[in-house]
Amino acid sequence: MDIKNKIKDAGISLNEMEADLQKSAPAFAAYTIAAFVLMFITALAVFFFSNKGYEQVLVPNVTGKTLTRALLEMQEKELYPKLQLRYSDLPGQAGQVLSQNPRAGSIVKAGRRITLVVSRGVMIDHIGNYVGTNLDALKNKLDALYGGVETPQITIGTPVFKMDAAPIGTILEQDPPEGTPITQPVELQLIVSSGPTAPRVSVQNYVGKTIAEILEGMGTTPLLFEFTSHIATGDEIPGTVVSQSEPENSQVDEYSKISLEFALPELNTAYSGDTIVDADIKGRTEDEVAGVKKTDSSKWTNGIFSAKVSRYPLAVPVKLEAFPPEGASYTVASFNHIGGEITVPYAVPHGTTLALSVLNQEKERLTVQ
């Protein structure tokens, strides 16, 4: 009896619990929904609160600065670097920031990553040994190494050729020498073999050429020009070559001497290179003098610059520069010469100072009147 009564009582209790649950279901659902809403609101609050610390900051300008300095400045702004390394064009840039992204002055959130391109130095930091190599091979090597580089570390100056038993194009000497540190762009000066026999040069016809035309051709013609002059007479055109010592098309050794004689105007009638400045003293008009036009005759002087310098075993770079009383200086002529007597024709403004330099060292200076 007791067991039956207990089961009966338990059945009654279960029925009562079921009834109670049915009555409280809506309230339970409401409580569950309210809990989810509360959790969502709490999550949003936490999210916005955590993002409140990412303030907007100004990106500093670190381009050109050392990496250490750049990192310190970025740390002050709560910015973080993303580093990229590459070779640079100029010596002395190792460890410097070459560029940045975003650029300086941009407004970003703190904690943003900033891309910094940092120099790992130059490809070559010293001059190599090029003696014994072929000139064309060296040119190709440097072109491949610095192709697309705005400022190559090493360039090749105009080579000087010398007779030698070595094959044509073989580099015999170099300056700067091997091992010289590269602290700025370097121009290699090379002495190159022209073979066991002197190259031959075909002589052009220089008669009738103006001072400007002769000066332009001196830099590309491996001949030693010896200039003389006289006052124009008869039908001679002032400011032009009227005779030459070697006939046209004759073959001479490289850097052989050839004499050219100019017919120059009288003192009060000046010509600026290839242009007549007034009707000359013979009464000819501009139309009667071919290839010329009028300028101010009071401002120009023509003549032959002459200087004696040491002789050199081979042709070396020579330059004549003009420093006019007004305006910037300029190069009158640039060419190679073995030294001794050097003559250069000129047509420059009155009061111009002419300076002759050999191997970048000034040897003679003259002010023309």
Side-chain angles (χ1 to χ4, degrees):
M1 290 295 292
D2 292 336
I3 296 175
K4 291 182 178 179
N5 291 333
K6 290 181 180 179
I7 293 174
K8 183 177 180 180
D9 293 340
I12 295 173
S13 298
L14 290 173
N15 291 334
E16 291 176 351
M17 289 177 61
E18 182 178 359
D20 290 340
L21 286 174
Q22 288 178 351
K23 291 180 182 179
S24 62
F28 178 77
Y31 288 138
T32 302
I33 293 173
F36 276 112
V37 170
L38 180 62
M39 290 173 60
F40 178 74
I41 294 174
T42 303
L44 284 179
V46 171
F47 173 78
F48 286 111
F49 180 79
S50 62
N51 278 277
K52 184 178 179 181
Y54 289 95
E55 301 176 354
Q56 290 186 326
V57 295
L58 187 72
V59 177
N61 181 15
V62 295
T63 301
K65 298 180 180 181
T66 64
L67 178 58
T68 301
R69 183 60 190 171
L71 295 179
L72 289 174
E73 292 189 16
M74 292 179 62
Q75 183 177 343
E76 292 175 357
K77 298 289 186 177
E78 296 185 15
L79 299 173
Y80 300 95
K82 179 182 178 182
L83 301 182
Q84 295 179 357
L85 300 178
R86 74 168 177 83
Y87 289 107
S88 55
D89 300 344
L90 299 176
Q93 289 186 329
Q96 287 186 5
V97 178
L98 302 178
S99 63
Q100 64 182 82
N101 185 35
R103 65 178 183 273
S106 301
I107 303 297
V108 300
K109 286 185 177 181
R112 170 76 180 269
R113 286 193 177 276
I114 307 299
T115 300
L116 302 181
V117 179
V118 182
S119 171
R120 61 190 303 176
V122 294
M123 297 182 191
I124 299 177
D125 58 4
H126 65 276
I127 298 295
N129 180 20
Y130 310 115
V131 174
T133 61
N134 181 270
L135 175 61
D136 290 336
L138 178 59
K139 288 181 178 179
N140 292 336
K141 178 181 178 180
L142 295 180
D143 287 343
L145 189 62
Y146 298 114
V149 175
E150 183 177 352
T151 307
Q153 297 166 246
I154 304 175
T155 56
I156 299 177
T158 302
V160 175
F161 288 89
K162 173 185 177 182
M163 282 193 302
D164 192 87
I168 296 175
T170 301
I171 298 173
L172 304 176
E173 299 179 40
Q174 69 177 66
D175 184 55
E178 177 187 7
T180 301
I182 300 177
T183 57
Q184 59 185 357
V186 174
E187 184 180 75
L188 278 175
Q189 302 296 329
L190 303 175
I191 298 176
V192 181
S193 171
S194 60
T197 59
R200 304 286 284 177
V201 179
S202 180
V203 177
Q204 302 178 28
N205 179 22
Y206 297 102
V207 174
K209 290 187 178 293
T210 63
I211 292 176
E213 291 172 330
I214 294 296
L215 292 174
E216 182 179 0
M218 287 176 64
T220 57
T221 306
L223 292 172
L224 304 179
F225 292 100
E226 183 180 61
F227 297 101
T228 57
S229 66
H230 65 263
I231 300 299
T233 60
D235 293 330
E236 295 176 340
I237 300 177
T240 63
V241 176
V242 293
S243 67
Q244 62 186 70
S245 61
E246 297 291 336
E248 181 182 6
N249 295 326
S250 59
Q251 299 292 315
V252 298
D253 290 341
E254 198 172 60
Y255 291 108
S256 294
K257 183 177 293 186
I258 179 172
S259 298
L260 302 182
E261 185 161 3
F262 275 96
L264 296 182
E266 292 196 11
L267 294 179
N268 293 329
T269 307
Y271 295 79
S272 59
D274 59 352
T275 58
I276 191 171
V277 297
D278 208 342
D280 65 14
I281 60 174
K282 301 301 180 183
R284 291 174 294 181
T285 65
E286 293 176 330
D287 293 336
E288 296 172 316
V289 182
V292 295
K293 71 179 182 179
K294 189 173 182 178
T295 58
D296 185 356
S297 62
S298 65
K299 294 184 178 180
W300 293 84
T301 297
N302 295 263
I304 306 294
F305 183 96
S306 178
K308 288 185 177 181
V309 300
S310 302
R311 292 191 66 85
Y312 298 89
L314 45 85
V316 295
V318 176
K319 181 167 60 176
L320 182 66
E321 294 179 283
F323 301 87
E326 297 180 358
S329 61
Y330 59 92
T331 299
V332 175
S334 179
F335 53 95
N336 290 330
H337 204 282
I338 64 172
E341 183 86 18
I342 298 179
T343 55
V344 185
Y346 62 82
V348 295
H350 291 321
T352 297
T353 297
L354 297 173
L356 183 81
S357 60
V358 180
L359 292 170
N360 294 322
Q361 294 184 348
E362 186 175 316
K363 299 295 183 180
E364 191 79 24
R365 182 176 282 255
L366 169 70
T367 301
V368 299
Q369 301 298 332

